[in-house]
Amino acid sequence: MARDPRRDLLAGLTVAVVALPLALGFGVSSGLGAEAGLATAVVAGAIAAVFGGSNLQVSGPTGAMTVVLVPIVAQYGPGGVLTVGLLAGLMLIALALLRAGAYMRYVPAPVVEGFTLGIACVIGLQQVPNALGVPVPEGDRVLVVTWRAIEEFARAPHWTAPILALAVAAAVLIGGRWRPTLPLSILTVAVVTVLTWAFDLAVTPIGDLPAGLPAPSLDFLEPAALPSLLAPALAVAALAALESLLSATVADGMTVDQRHDPDRELFGQGLANLAAPLFGGVPATAAIARTAVNVRTGARSRLAALTHAVVLAAVVFAAAPLVSRIPLAALAGVLLATAIRMVEVASLRSTARATRSDGLILALTAVATLALDLVYAVIIGLVVAGALALRAVARHARLDRVDFAPHLDDTHSDEERALLAEHIVAYRIDGPVFFAGAHRFLLELAEVADVRVVILRMSRVTAMDATGALALKDAVQRLNRRGIVVHSSGVRPEHRQVLESTGTSELLRLHGREYGSTPQAIAGARRHLQGEGLLPGVPDRPGAASGERPGH
């Protein structure tokens, strides 16, 4: 792709304008303050832009990460959050070195949709205290905090903050449909800030901001607290990896010739999260909304994301007094609009209607995100999706009784055909023979009655694990105890190792035979019946048993 620095610079400026109120708002929502959000956007945004695996990705504080950080702040304080960010950065680098990025593509779409819906709900609820103009109540559960904020507002309602928040949200949402290219969030926040100053409205502003970034420091680090912070750090790292790689995938889908490197992206996010806490920043991740703006405004290289970070740095150094006057209610309105725009109704509807399983996974992930936390929600969604997928695959496994008459040639008399059909039964196993469903249909095999030989046709077995092989062994043992000989045919080479290791092959060879094809297995069964005197002693045709694997 041909480079166009002017388009990248313009895209970076546009993203910075969009990102400024979001960085401030997410910093406030995290509990560390607006300055932490700005530091994250500047430091993490610049480092991830240079070292990340996508040319179009924009990183910084996000709503999803804020959701995870709120309970960490409540339990461990600001220093704990900074330490968690540092540990999460190390974990992300380790994931990159282990080349774990490619595995993120296996996250099912219903989990992603439910995750996004849950995040949108949590972000919206987090804004309720600032939108109502009340102090943020104590607590780490968003539903509890929201209810306490509503109770506080109901005791002494003041309508200025709610009106401003709703006006900003409405302007961003409605104006976004009317003029999608305008940076309405920053324009609306600027207008509301001027109005509150001009009319001296009783609303709470952001407050004093430092005119610049603090000097890098590790004073927050307490080695004794590291063991207790490993679990929160793992949650933060998992979320940063998930959201960053999902965002990079979205960016790839919006372009023709851009493809991200997942492992390099994890490495870049790891470096970003190592650096941001040194400057007082919260843990960072790629931001899907800002990345989408970057792509839509014509970004073609990393210069755009780097420009976004430089512009925000300029705001920190040059305009901190002005930014400090922005009402918290206005930022709450911007984030309310962001939460609403995150919900794509058409995509949710199509996923929910695809299958019952998809609808269940979506709803369960969304509810878990709202009631528990994001990492648990994703784990629950993945576990349920995996269980339902295994059940669906297991249902495809079948045991069918088949007519082996087509495998008999004209040398067999009608009498012999009848005797063979009376004493021999053939079954074909279709699909996977594994832990999820092997016992279900192999139990049917063990109940076969009134025959002397069972032929298992295994050429259509698609997969087999140790549990499936042991279940097959159990069925064969049951048949052998009843005097029924089991022959097998068509065993695939890739399944031979698991059959050998579990002793199933040895059992099949002990009382029966293994054959390369069904006609050979029928010929072997015919000889067995002749030996028992159940079939007239007709001489075998030359080569009838070629391909037979002898027993011991």
Side-chain angles (χ1 to χ4, degrees):
M1 176 184 290
R3 293 190 177 184
D4 189 343
R6 287 184 300 177
R7 293 187 66 173
D8 285 328
L9 291 171
L10 179 60
L13 177 61
T14 304
V15 174
V17 171
V18 172
L20 177 59
L22 296 176
L24 295 170
F26 289 137
V28 172
S29 297
S30 71
L32 269 71
E35 62 272 18
L38 281 174
T40 305
V42 173
V43 177
I47 292 176
V50 174
F51 296 101
S54 171
N55 292 330
L56 306 175
Q57 192 98 282
V58 179
S59 299
T62 64
M65 187 61 74
T66 299
V67 173
V68 173
L69 296 181
V70 169
I72 298 175
V73 173
Q75 186 171 357
Y76 300 103
V81 171
L82 299 180
T83 304
V84 162
L86 204 67
L87 293 174
L90 293 172
M91 292 177 182
L92 287 168
I93 292 174
L95 287 175
L97 296 177
L98 293 172
R99 306 190 68 80
Y103 292 101
M104 300 304 293
R105 71 184 67 173
Y106 298 116
V107 179
V111 174
V112 177
E113 292 289 349
F115 176 78
T116 305
L117 175 60
I119 288 173
C121 293
V122 174
I123 293 172
L125 292 173
Q126 281 181 339
Q127 309 318 308
V128 170
N130 287 333
L132 296 178
V134 300
V136 179
E138 293 185 1
D140 58 359
R141 295 295 179 190
V142 67
L143 293 173
V144 174
V145 172
T146 301
W147 180 250
R148 290 174 179 171
I150 294 173
E151 288 181 328
E152 179 70 20
F153 178 79
R155 282 193 287 268
H158 297 282
W159 295 99
T160 304
I163 290 172
L164 289 179
L166 291 175
V168 170
V172 172
L173 291 172
I174 298 172
R177 292 180 175 272
W178 176 56
R179 285 287 188 272
T181 58
L182 288 178
L184 288 168
S185 57
I186 191 66
L187 292 176
T188 308
V189 167
V191 170
V192 168
T193 303
V194 171
L195 290 175
T196 56
W197 174 75
F199 293 97
D200 196 22
L201 299 179
V203 289
T204 305
I206 289 176
D208 293 336
L209 292 174
L213 294 174
S217 171
L218 281 172
D219 291 343
F220 60 85
L221 191 61
E222 295 183 14
L226 291 179
S228 63
L229 294 174
L230 287 175
L234 181 61
V236 169
L239 177 60
L242 177 66
E243 190 171 12
S244 297
L245 294 178
L246 287 177
S247 176
T249 302
V250 170
D252 289 349
M254 296 175 66
T255 60
V256 176
D257 52 0
Q258 292 280 355
R259 289 295 177 268
H260 73 282
D261 180 337
D263 295 314
R264 182 177 173 182
E265 180 62 27
L266 291 179
F267 183 76
Q269 294 295 335
L271 291 180
N273 279 283
L274 275 178
L278 304 181
F279 296 88
V282 297
T285 179
I288 296 177
R290 276 158 272 177
T291 298
V293 171
N294 195 38
V295 176
R296 287 172 184 153
T297 49
R300 296 188 177 184
S301 74
R302 301 170 186 270
L303 179 60
L306 191 58
T307 300
H308 138 271
V310 171
V311 171
L312 291 179
V315 170
V316 171
F317 283 98
L322 295 176
V323 172
S324 66
R325 294 176 175 270
I326 295 175
L328 291 175
L331 293 180
V334 171
L335 297 184
L336 283 171
T338 300
I340 293 171
R341 290 163 71 172
M342 286 176 66
V343 180
E344 298 184 9
V345 177
S347 180
L348 287 172
R349 186 184 294 118
S350 62
T351 303
R353 290 179 176 177
T355 65
R356 288 184 178 179
S357 296
D358 289 334
L360 173 64
I361 294 166
L362 189 156
L364 188 61
T365 306
V367 171
T369 302
L370 191 59
L372 302 174
D373 68 43
L374 302 191
V375 177
Y376 283 139
V378 171
I379 292 173
I380 291 171
L382 289 175
V383 169
V384 173
L388 293 175
L390 286 175
R391 188 183 71 166
V393 171
R395 285 181 173 179
H396 283 85
R398 293 167 46 193
L399 181 71
D400 293 328
R401 183 165 178 165
V402 294
D403 181 12
F404 58 80
H407 296 284
L408 300 176
D409 55 37
D410 294 337
T411 63
H412 296 81
S413 66
D414 292 340
E415 179 185 1
E416 187 179 18
R417 287 172 181 269
L419 288 171
L420 287 171
E422 180 181 348
H423 296 296
I424 303 173
V425 63
Y427 283 94
R428 181 178 63 227
I429 303 177
D430 280 330
V433 181
F434 70 138
F435 72 94
H439 288 283
R440 176 180 57 82
F441 66 87
L442 290 177
L443 185 63
E444 178 186 343
L445 173 64
E447 299 303 320
V448 173
D450 300 328
V451 296
R452 306 306 295 268
V453 180
V454 170
I455 296 175
L456 291 181
R457 299 174 59 182
M458 301 178 64
S459 61
R460 296 190 182 182
V461 175
T462 56
M464 182 178 292
D465 67 358
T467 305
L470 288 171
L472 179 61
K473 180 181 179 181
D474 179 60
V476 172
Q477 285 174 329
R478 293 188 185 193
L479 292 171
N480 290 162
R481 284 195 292 268
R482 290 163 48 206
I484 299 173
V485 173
V486 180
H487 292 337
S488 62
S489 69
V491 176
R492 294 186 178 185
E494 61 267 28
H495 303 151
R496 195 167 301 285
Q497 172 64 34
V498 68
L499 290 171
E500 293 284 355
S501 64
T502 56
T504 309
S505 288
E506 182 180 359
L507 180 64
L508 286 170
R509 290 192 294 262
L510 183 63
H511 299 293
R513 300 276 182 170
E514 182 186 327
Y515 299 89
S517 67
T518 302
Q520 294 163 4
I522 292 172
R526 179 171 172 268
R527 288 192 300 277
H528 176 77
L529 295 179
Q530 287 174 350
E532 291 194 350
L534 299 174
L535 199 66
V538 180
D540 291 335
R541 291 171 289 109
S546 62
E548 176 181 327
R549 297 180 182 274
H552 298 295

